Amino acid sequence: MLTKGVPDFSEGAVSFDEDGHLERGKTPTVMNPNDAFALEAALQTRVRHGGHVSAMSMGPPGYGDVLREAMESVYADDTYLLSDRELAASDTWATAITVSSGVEKYREEVADVDLVFAGFKTADGETGQTGPQTCWALEWPIVTHVIALDIDPDERRLRAKRLVEGDVDEIETVEAPLPCMVVTDPEFEPTYRKAAHRLTHKELRAETQERAADHDEHLTTWDHVDLNLDPDYIGLDGSPTIVSSVDPIPKAPSEREATMIDPDDGAAMEPVLEELQPFAGGD
Amino acid sequence: MSANGSHENEYEHYEAVVVGCGPGGAAAAARLAEHGVETLVLERGVEAGAKNVSGGLIYAEDSAPYTIDDLFEGFREAAAERPVTDYRIHNIAGDKVKTYDLTDLHEHDTDWCDAVLRRKMDSWLQRRVHEKTSETGGGVLTNVRVNGLLREDSEGRVRPSEQSSGRSPRDGEIVGVTCDELDPIEADLIVAADGVNSELAREAGLMDWEEPDEWFQGVKAVVDMDPDAVNHRFGIDDDEGVAHLFSGDLFEDVRGGGFLYTNEESLSIGTVFHLDSLVAEQAEPHELLDALLTHPVLAHWTGDGYDEREYAAKLVPDSKKVAHREPYRDRLVLVGDAAGQMQAQGPIIKGMNHAVTAGALAADAFAITRGNADPEAAGRRYAKLLEDSGTMAKLRPKQYDLARTVAERDAVTNVVDGVLESPIGRVALGNPLADRVLERAYNSPLVVSMLPDTRTGYTTVPTVIGEARGKSIRWKNDAEPPSLEERIGDLTYDTDVGNPHIELRDDSAEASGAAVYACPVSAEAFGGGCYRTEQVKTNGDEETVVSLDTQPCVECGTCAIVADTAWEHPRGGKGVEFREG
Ligand SMILES: Cc1cc2nc3c(=O)[nH]c(=O)nc-3n(C[C@H](O)[C@H](O)[C@H](O)COP(=O)(O)OP(=O)(O)OC[C@H]3O[C@@H](n4cnc5c(N)ncnc54)[C@H](O)[C@@H]3O)c2cc1C
Ligand code: SF4
């Protein structure tokens, strides 16, 4: 039994309101590009081991389209949207609380969960925090920067190759018990070296195309009441992070040796983001 | 750890693995599925047809045990272009042309015959094959290239064949395949339907890639034309089509001929030449094609507004010389071009239909012998079915073997040609009576299957006929075929950067120089193709060396034969992608 958490989505052409909050309603919504890797990991796990895959996201009602996109990519069986006016303008912390409540509700009411996959940082926030924070809220182990994954269903353990400190040169292999949360790295490459897996992949794709055509049938929406969440802890009120302003590119302090990094080059940006992460607030 | 979850020596197993989803592989797989056999089909193209080229007329022979529409219901409506309702040959000498109606030859043993474009045809077949094979636990996978055979040694160890060139065909029993993209797969039956230049047939030691005289090279242009223009220019209706053949001196002394077939919304115009003749004459294939495209005889059809959609090329085996009489080894059977089952019946080219027949027969042979402990039981039965069904007799006609012993000797050819070209010969070939006799002779399947592969049949006779009996045509053909550079530029490639699929083993002009002109995307005077020559100075001496850039390669197979190369197909999905075929 797997689920895929898709906690946050946005695109480059974003709009901010006067207070500097992201206006999700005015921003064209697409799936977080970094979630594609998480989706690949979830899909690979499903193709190899079978099971049920659900995609979950928090956002306004328009996020249905994002979830349909997620369904198409991960060949999800169904999708869950955590959507409520009270949930608007959540920062990563509030999002994590909400998403973890969504996962808890899912486990209580839908099915037990072995794995939660999350993408490597969202394209809008670039904090890389929602995944770990959700996991903390769930009190599960977490494996981050995953580039290859293998599940032993009998032992109920997961083995993963991960990048140490996000460094492409250093790779370690770790094990963790299920249930577990997996945060994939953009370096994640799904591998299908078995003909049977490729045939399953093809079959799932055909099935999903039909399912995605009437996605609304497979979409469940939960609001804060469904999730039993106190409005004080979620949404804008529950968001301790204040992003004072958004600069296009973080510049290196001039007294130090400056290195030019193309902000569109995800791999090159990684070390930068890694450095910035501790200063990005939240604690 | 193995993050792939793979374990050593625990291979996946399918009852049957079919390599290639052209007509041969599609037929084999469909028939295997009908027998309830779990069948996996592996195709290296992004889609079946993306790698394939034919003229192409697909024949349904009255005498064949299987035709494509037997196996795939609705084939003609969904996957084919126009049926051939008018069939002619044009004998050309300069601007003189004498046309014979070849409909009798064409209709001999023919239930129906349609023009096809391979991308459309093969991708349609692929979908049907996937449906059928999914029902028995298999299916079609594209973007997968089989790169070798899996063998079991006498101690029962299963491992891939040595990937060295000096491998012995007997280094263990063939029990499966290895792939670039997948872990090795074991199977009870392996069908090599991987077409001309079959790497599997070569690795099994069943076919070699040595002699240019065992092959033809086909080059083709698909020319855009809207359906009304096709109807109007050829005087046909929507459900009619023409086939025109061209021979004579427009190709100088290169043995071969040209063709023009009508599709629904385009024309297929191409040339097919004996590879040894191309090499001997140092001819440039694209120039020979252009000689046809710009000849006055085509003026009415394509003379204005010539718009080429695609340029393509591929080798074609000559069954008369190479069709293998026992196309199997262990659990491996060869089907179609891979087994050399490509019949050039005079000007009529029959490869697709025989690939279909052979594929279906191989499947039947496996079904009949299923459960037999002898790994070669299916192969032996398949060879017998090819023989008993009369297929082998078509591929290797006895009368050809007899005729060629005398006729292909140069001396005889020269004498016969001398006589034909002499005033007496001209009178004999050129009088009205001879005209009728010749038209009849051309239409005789027996005579055309006997025609020796000398310039007599290809050049001398048609030229003399054209000269003596032909009418001059003075139409102006304004067609301007694209340059080689433009043709390459119009093709779609997904280049496997840093991993070229062909390597030059010997870059001397003697060993590999022939590729510079014989390669259909290279030319002596063109620097942008695959092969070129360079002058290098070594110790004061100047030497001509050949160099290779595989980027523009259309994977035709020519340089596998005429140059000293280590030749493989690109990895799955990589290389050229034909949209028409
Ligand atoms: C210019 C030209 C004109 C022709 N005209 C005619 C005609 O008019 N009528 C006619 O009947 N025939 C004609 N032919 C011949 C005809 O095209 C072939 O005989 C026919 O395609 C053979 O079918 P096949 O299934 O054996 O092989 P192909 O059709 O070649 O199919 C082989 C398949 O195997 C795949 N493959 C190859 N290697 C691998 C690998 N290692 N792993 C996975 N997949 C692989 C290829 O991608 C391809 O899809 C012509 C050929 C040419 C070049
Ligand atoms: S490089 Fe070889 S295989 Fe490629 S197009 Fe030229 S002759 Fe054909």
Side-chain angles (χ1 to χ4, degrees):
Chain A
M1 198 68 44
L2 311 168
T3 188
K4 156 72 182 81
V6 187
D8 214 348
F9 302 98
S10 182
E11 199 193 43
V14 290
S15 71
F16 296 91
D17 69 11
E18 290 150 27
D19 300 331
H21 296 297
L22 183 64
E23 284 190 306
R24 301 257 171 199
K26 289 195 192 154
T27 306
T29 313
V30 295
M31 216 173 66
N32 168 30
N34 283 334
D35 282 340
F37 309 107
L39 295 174
E40 290 289 1
L43 177 55
Q44 174 186 292
T45 307
R46 187 203 184 145
V47 165
R48 289 187 186 168
H49 304 285
H52 184 101
V53 177
S54 301
M56 183 178 286
S57 180
M58 188 189 95
Y63 268 36
D65 282 346
V66 174
L67 281 166
R68 185 174 41 72
E69 201 185 328
M71 174 181 263
E72 283 170 348
S73 333
V74 78
Y75 308 159
D77 295 282
D78 43 27
T79 56
Y80 292 83
L81 179 60
L82 316 178
S83 183
D84 193 314
R85 194 190 300 270
E86 298 285 352
L87 300 175
S90 297
D91 73 352
T92 59
W93 177 249
T95 302
I97 294 286
T98 309
V99 171
S100 57
S101 307
V103 174
E104 284 301 350
K105 184 176 171 71
Y106 182 98
R107 294 175 73 191
E108 279 157 26
E109 295 181 14
V110 186
D112 204 7
V113 175
D114 284 333
L115 283 160
V116 172
F117 292 91
F120 169 82
K121 299 168 187 171
T122 54
D124 51 356
E126 290 282 7
T127 64
Q129 293 167 358
T130 306
Q133 286 171 350
T134 304
C135 194
W136 181 84
L138 284 168
E139 296 179 6
W140 281 9
I142 183 166
V143 186
T144 57
H145 291 295
V146 170
I147 57 166
L149 186 66
D150 197 19
I151 314 285
D152 186 334
D154 301 330
E155 295 284 317
R156 293 192 50 79
R157 285 187 84 75
L158 150 169
R159 276 180 301 175
K161 286 186 187 170
R162 63 182 298 271
L163 299 180
V164 180
E165 305 287 324
D167 178 350
V168 191
D169 295 329
E170 205 180 323
I171 294 171
E172 67 177 8
T173 300
V174 296
E175 290 202 19
L178 302 183
C180 180
M181 178 149 186
V182 174
V183 180
T184 47
D185 188 272
E187 294 287 317
F188 183 89
E189 284 261 12
T191 47
Y192 299 101
R193 299 277 311 173
K194 294 256 177 287
H197 292 162
R198 291 201 182 199
L199 290 171
T200 304
H201 193 281
K202 205 167 156 167
E203 203 178 306
L204 287 172
R205 179 168 57 214
E207 280 174 21
T208 310
Q209 272 161 7
E210 283 174 30
R211 206 165 42 234
D214 54 342
H215 173 245
D216 287 353
E217 296 283 302
H218 305 277
L219 173 68
T220 306
T221 305
W222 288 331
D223 61 15
H224 81 277
V225 181
D226 296 323
L227 295 172
N228 200 17
L229 285 171
D230 182 338
D232 286 348
Y233 289 98
I234 57 172
L236 188 53
D237 293 343
S239 296
T241 312
I242 296 164
V243 179
S244 55
S245 76
V246 182
D247 283 335
I249 306 167
K251 293 201 178 74
S254 53
E255 65 268 25
R256 296 220 211 116
E257 204 187 322
T259 317
M260 291 302 286
I261 292 169
D262 176 1
D264 291 322
D265 180 350
M269 279 297 284
E270 246 180 81
V272 178
L273 295 166
E274 216 61 55
E275 288 289 322
L276 289 175
Q277 198 160 307
F279 308 104
D283 54 40
Chain B
M1 149 189 126
S2 143
N4 300 330
S6 64
H7 306 278
E8 253 190 324
N9 272 344
E10 248 178 54
Y11 297 127
E12 266 188 291
H13 175 271
Y14 287 83
E15 259 188 297
V17 168
V18 176
V19 183
C21 197
R31 196 78 191 113
L32 282 164
E34 279 168 25
H35 288 298
V37 177
E38 178 199 43
T39 306
L40 176 69
V41 184
L42 302 174
E43 163 60 48
R44 70 187 179 96
V46 282
E47 179 178 69
K51 296 291 183 183
N52 303 343
V53 187
S54 82
L57 301 182
I58 187 160
Y59 281 85
E61 292 184 328
D62 289 323
S63 63
Y66 290 100
T67 61
I68 189 112
D69 57 331
D70 291 341
L71 299 168
F72 298 96
E73 210 182 310
F75 172 85
R76 298 188 68 191
E77 298 72 30
E81 301 289 317
R82 294 170 186 253
V84 175
T85 49
D86 184 18
Y87 200 99
R88 287 154 199 261
I89 188 161
H90 305 275
N91 298 282
I92 297 174
D95 64 356
K96 287 180 150 187
V97 178
K98 176 67 193 172
T99 302
Y100 290 141
D101 187 338
L102 279 193
T103 309
D104 283 352
L105 174 63
H106 166 72
E107 288 183 348
H108 168 79
D109 197 25
T110 300
D111 179 11
W112 55 264
C113 171
D114 292 348
V116 292
L117 290 168
R118 294 295 297 276
R119 182 67 184 259
K120 174 172 148 190
M121 166 175 138
D122 294 15
S123 60
W124 184 85
L125 288 174
Q126 179 199 319
R127 289 189 291 275
R128 300 289 87 72
V129 169
H130 186 69
E131 284 162 17
K132 288 171 194 270
T133 50
S134 305
E135 281 170 24
T136 57
V140 183
L141 294 178
T142 53
N143 289 310
V144 176
R145 170 180 164 260
V146 172
N147 62 16
L149 295 165
L150 193 65
R151 294 177 187 262
E152 183 174 338
D153 66 16
S154 46
E155 276 119 62
R157 277 194 306 260
V158 177
R159 63 195 159 72
S161 292
E162 293 297 315
Q163 292 295 323
S164 71
S165 54
R167 64 180 82 94
S168 134
R170 275 284 158 207
D171 61 359
E173 186 189 317
I174 298 165
V175 293
V177 295
T178 57
C179 311
D180 289 342
E181 294 79 12
L182 300 175
D183 294 339
I185 301 169
E186 286 185 278
D188 304 338
L189 175 75
I190 302 127
V191 180
D194 48 346
V196 72
N197 296 90
S198 159
E199 290 175 65
L200 296 186
R202 179 182 57 170
E203 189 175 321
L206 291 167
M207 304 289 270
D208 64 45
W209 300 357
E210 307 293 336
E211 303 300 329
D213 72 342
E214 295 174 349
W215 314 78
F216 304 93
Q217 185 199 66
V219 174
K220 167 173 150 176
V222 176
V223 181
D224 191 67
M225 195 172 283
D226 78 54
D228 290 339
V230 177
N231 291 353
H232 178 72
R233 293 183 186 189
F234 293 89
I236 51 179
D237 287 334
D238 284 343
D239 53 358
E240 294 177 327
V242 304
H244 291 281
L245 303 174
F246 308 90
S247 61
D249 69 359
L250 81 165
F251 305 122
E252 312 208 324
D253 276 335
V254 192
R255 285 180 286 115
F259 61 83
L260 179 157
Y261 308 136
T262 46
N263 303 315
E264 273 163 16
E265 305 183 1
S266 61
L267 307 178
S268 292
I269 306 180
T271 49
V272 178
F273 294 105
H274 282 274
L275 188 55
D276 56 326
S277 180
L278 276 174
V279 172
E281 303 296 331
Q282 305 205 348
E284 294 281 0
H286 69 286
E287 288 176 4
L288 295 172
L289 176 67
D290 291 348
L292 173 61
L293 291 170
T294 55
H295 194 275
V297 72
L298 291 194
H300 271 344
W301 300 318
T302 56
D304 59 332
Y306 178 87
D307 181 6
E308 191 171 298
R309 281 197 204 164
E310 184 173 272
Y311 174 79
K314 176 100 39 214
L315 283 194
V316 186
D318 185 352
S319 72
K320 292 194 289 296
K321 291 175 178 158
V322 298
H324 203 296
R325 292 187 186 277
E326 294 183 327
Y328 62 89
R329 174 145 297 154
D330 306 331
R331 298 178 182 280
L332 174 77
V333 296
L334 313 182
V335 152
D337 277 9
Q341 295 162 343
M342 187 1 270
Q343 179 195 12
Q345 189 183 29
I348 292 186
I349 299 177
K350 289 182 171 173
M352 292 183 277
N353 60 314
H354 292 312
V356 168
T357 298
L361 291 179
D364 289 350
F366 179 73
I368 296 165
T369 58
R370 213 169 173 183
N372 191 322
D374 177 358
E376 287 200 330
R380 261 201 309 281
R381 181 59 67 104
Y382 164 55
K384 186 163 166 11
L385 291 175
L386 284 173
E387 205 66 58
D388 294 352
S389 61
T391 310
M392 196 47 81
K394 292 175 192 167
L395 297 171
R396 299 204 78 139
K398 281 206 187 63
Q399 57 281 20
Y400 170 80
D401 281 340
L402 293 177
R404 107 158 142 157
T405 45
V406 255
E408 276 176 29
R409 284 201 210 113
D410 281 356
V412 181
T413 307
N414 288 338
V415 173
V416 176
D417 275 11
V419 173
L420 287 171
E421 287 186 50
S422 73
I424 302 168
R426 272 156 202 271
V427 170
L429 276 178
N431 76 44
L433 185 67
D435 216 15
R436 282 212 299 284
V437 173
L438 276 167
E439 186 156 4
R440 266 227 298 284
Y442 258 125
N443 270 300
S444 154
L446 184 70
V447 173
V448 293
S449 66
M450 279 170 67
L451 272 187
D453 290 331
T454 64
R455 66 170 186 271
T456 313
Y458 285 107
T459 317
T460 316
V461 173
T463 307
V464 173
I465 294 171
E467 254 171 25
R469 304 292 307 156
K471 286 207 181 69
S472 284
I473 39 178
R474 311 229 177 274
W475 305 319
K476 203 162 157 325
N477 185 338
D478 291 327
E480 280 179 25
S483 66
L484 212 43
E485 190 174 6
E486 289 163 328
R487 282 171 164 157
I488 293 168
D490 287 342
L491 284 166
T492 307
Y493 295 95
D494 181 356
T495 305
D496 196 357
V497 182
N499 191 15
H501 60 286
I502 310 171
E503 275 168 38
L504 257 185
R505 273 199 296 240
D506 183 339
D507 68 357
S508 70
E510 305 78 66
S512 301
V516 180
Y517 41 87
C519 169
V521 288
S522 302
E524 204 78 67
F526 172 51
C530 292
Y531 284 93
R532 60 198 95 167
T533 45
E534 282 161 18
Q535 304 295 324
V536 289
K537 285 209 174 78
T538 40
N539 308 331
D541 281 351
E542 217 178 31
E543 201 190 347
T544 306
V545 298
V546 178
S547 66
L548 167 65
D549 167 13
T550 54
Q551 197 282 322
C553 174
V554 292
E555 300 159 31
C556 73
T558 300
C559 64
I561 319 291
V562 307
D564 190 356
T565 54
W567 200 100
E568 291 188 346
H569 293 96
R571 282 195 293 146
K574 295 293 178 185
V576 73
E577 178 189 340
F578 295 124
R579 312 237 175 227
E580 306 283 339

